[in-house]
Amino acid sequence: MTAMVTLPSPRDLYDRWESQQWSVARVEVGRDASRWETLRPVTRRELLVALAELEIGEVCVTQTLSSLVDHSPTEEDRIYLCTQLADEGRHVQFFKQYLLGPVGVDPAELEQPDSELSLLSAYGQIFEPVLRDATRRVRESGGDPAVWHAGVVQYHLVTEGVIAAPSLKRLREFVRAVGGLAALEEGLSNVARDETRHLTYGQTAARRGVQNGFAEVIGQTYLGALEQAVEVLVNPGRKAVTPVIRAALAHHAGQLDEQWSVARNRMLRQLALIGLDALRDEAERAWERAFTRAFAVYEQRWDAPHPVPKAAGLGLLTPRAHV
Amino acid sequence: MGTTDITARIHGIISRMSPTGAAVGSPADRLVEDLGYDSVTFLELAVALEEEFDLTALDDDQATDLTTVAQVEALVIGTAEPSAPPA
Ligand SMILES: [Fe+2]
Ligand SMILES: [Fe+2]
């Protein structure tokens, strides 16, 4: 057996938090306003949906973390998790100020659960109920350690690790390619740095849980969450841009596949990092099944194939994110 | 509608959407090197051409490489509906 990579302790992560502070006010979101006025429709729409998705996810994680804080296994964990709670609040503020400011979104669009943006949010529609349920059970169980570890899996490993981190990475690349959005680039880079600490904490806590007798609950919760995580990535509820011009279809599908491939690699790497590499084959199978299902749901909903299987069917793409 | 009109409209769209504001000089112009297109603006261009020329169903043997203005012209002229509305 190979030696496991050393992961930082919650105390190390607390120290990093102290040295990696930033402020939303200093990002000065208003400087991007003029660029938003010149964005073309597809770019504007893609950015808006991605930002609204992150905002909705951040609100959800801010509202649900407290039960994990309250029932932390050690004081060191609790102090680290308090820093994360502060980070998530800051992320909500950043995305909210950005959407209401330079993007010019109506406040009602962000706040009402039945607004168009809320309904477009795959995370809000599909995974948010899972996370809310998992964290509510932590509270209801009075902090049963097995239930607490299941909550960390849904929160840190799946929501932050498999779903949010690859989306954030793709969004940062897209924003760089669009150009002229300096405040957004800076804000997203700050958020990504915070999220790296969060994911790392999840891996540290889950690995310790695996070593302390919670391997079964951690592994089964992780595998069980993959179907919905993939559904969020594919988002069958939103009609995807599907160019009929093949060169554009190939390019666009390739970018989606790239993002999903990042998610897949991360999903497998996390499993190895927490000491559950034995579940790798099972996780890969669950991942493939989830894509097949999400593409079928998409096709039924829109009466047309999703651009990724469409491009693959035309021989324009060899998918890496699923087989 | 004549091919010349369609060509002029295609050139107009490509020039208008060029990130650097460069105008099409000749059909040999390359989208990326000469006109400043990148992955984001290329997708915008594709969607704009589809809307402008009502490209809803393209032939199975369409080119998968769109590097030059001439290749865009060939794709659109080869497949545009005769009833495409005037600009
Ligand atoms: Fe966050
Ligand atoms: Fe986070």
Side-chain angles (χ1 to χ4, degrees), chain A residues 57-172:
Chain A
E58 295 289 0
V59 168
C60 175
V61 296
T62 303
Q63 291 174 349
T64 51
L65 186 57
S66 64
S67 71
L68 296 178
V69 179
D70 287 348
H71 299 285
S72 299
T74 71
E75 276 310 295
E76 204 188 320
D77 286 80
R78 189 190 318 279
I79 288 170
Y80 161 76
L81 284 169
C82 288
T83 70
Q84 183 172 339
L85 194 51
D87 289 339
E88 304 300 9
R90 182 163 42 194
H91 298 172
V92 170
Q93 283 303 103
F94 171 69
F95 288 112
K96 191 171 168 184
Q97 287 184 25
Y98 197 86
L99 285 162
L100 297 179
V103 185
V105 168
D106 185 328
E109 270 289 308
L110 284 189
E111 277 147 28
Q112 288 166 10
D114 58 350
S115 70
E116 195 210 348
L117 278 183
S118 299
L119 295 174
L120 275 177
S121 163
Y123 188 82
Q125 299 297 312
I126 301 160
F127 212 88
E128 180 169 332
V130 176
L131 183 64
R132 287 193 185 278
D133 189 50
T135 52
R136 180 181 48 76
R137 271 187 287 167
V138 174
R139 200 175 294 291
E140 284 175 2
S141 73
D144 178 325
V147 183
W148 186 88
H149 282 94
V152 166
V153 170
Q154 303 286 20
Y155 194 109
H156 293 81
L157 298 187
V158 181
T159 294
E160 299 191 306
V162 179
I163 299 174
S167 311
L168 197 54
K169 181 174 186 289
R170 162 135 201 267
L171 178 59
R172 290 179 69 197

Side-chain angles (χ1 to χ4, degrees), chain A residues 126-293:
Chain A
I126 301 160
F127 212 88
E128 180 169 332
V130 176
L131 183 64
R132 287 193 185 278
D133 189 50
T135 52
R136 180 181 48 76
R137 271 187 287 167
V138 174
R139 200 175 294 291
E140 284 175 2
S141 73
D144 178 325
V147 183
W148 186 88
H149 282 94
V152 166
V153 170
Q154 303 286 20
Y155 194 109
H156 293 81
L157 298 187
V158 181
T159 294
E160 299 191 306
V162 179
I163 299 174
S167 311
L168 197 54
K169 181 174 186 289
R170 162 135 201 267
L171 178 59
R172 290 179 69 197
E173 287 161 1
F174 187 62
V175 168
R176 267 196 295 273
V178 170
L181 296 166
L184 187 53
E185 275 196 54
E186 186 181 329
L188 291 175
S189 145
N190 292 335
V191 169
R193 194 169 56 239
D194 290 346
E195 291 301 336
T196 301
R197 290 194 307 275
H198 305 174
L199 316 168
T200 309
Y201 172 78
Q203 291 159 4
T204 299
R207 178 191 284 183
R208 190 185 55 201
V210 166
Q211 289 163 349
N212 290 341
F214 301 104
E216 178 70 16
V217 68
I218 289 171
Q220 291 313 310
T221 305
Y222 196 65
L223 293 176
L226 296 182
E227 179 171 334
Q228 279 149 318
V230 165
E231 200 181 338
V232 174
L233 296 178
V234 174
N235 194 2
R238 179 186 173 219
K239 192 157 187 356
V241 177
T242 310
V244 291
I245 293 178
R246 287 201 182 177
L249 173 64
H251 191 80
H252 186 54
Q255 288 190 323
L256 287 173
D257 182 57
E258 165 68 25
Q259 180 195 342
W260 298 342
S261 160
V262 169
R264 182 179 191 275
N265 292 342
R266 184 176 283 279
M267 180 276 286
L268 294 172
R269 196 169 68 239
Q270 285 189 151
L271 210 49
L273 271 173
I274 65 176
L276 292 178
D277 206 29
L279 297 178
R280 186 186 174 96
D281 289 351
E282 214 177 318
E284 282 181 326
R285 283 196 300 274
W287 187 260
E288 305 306 332
R289 271 198 311 273
F291 268 100
T292 306
R293 185 182 164 276

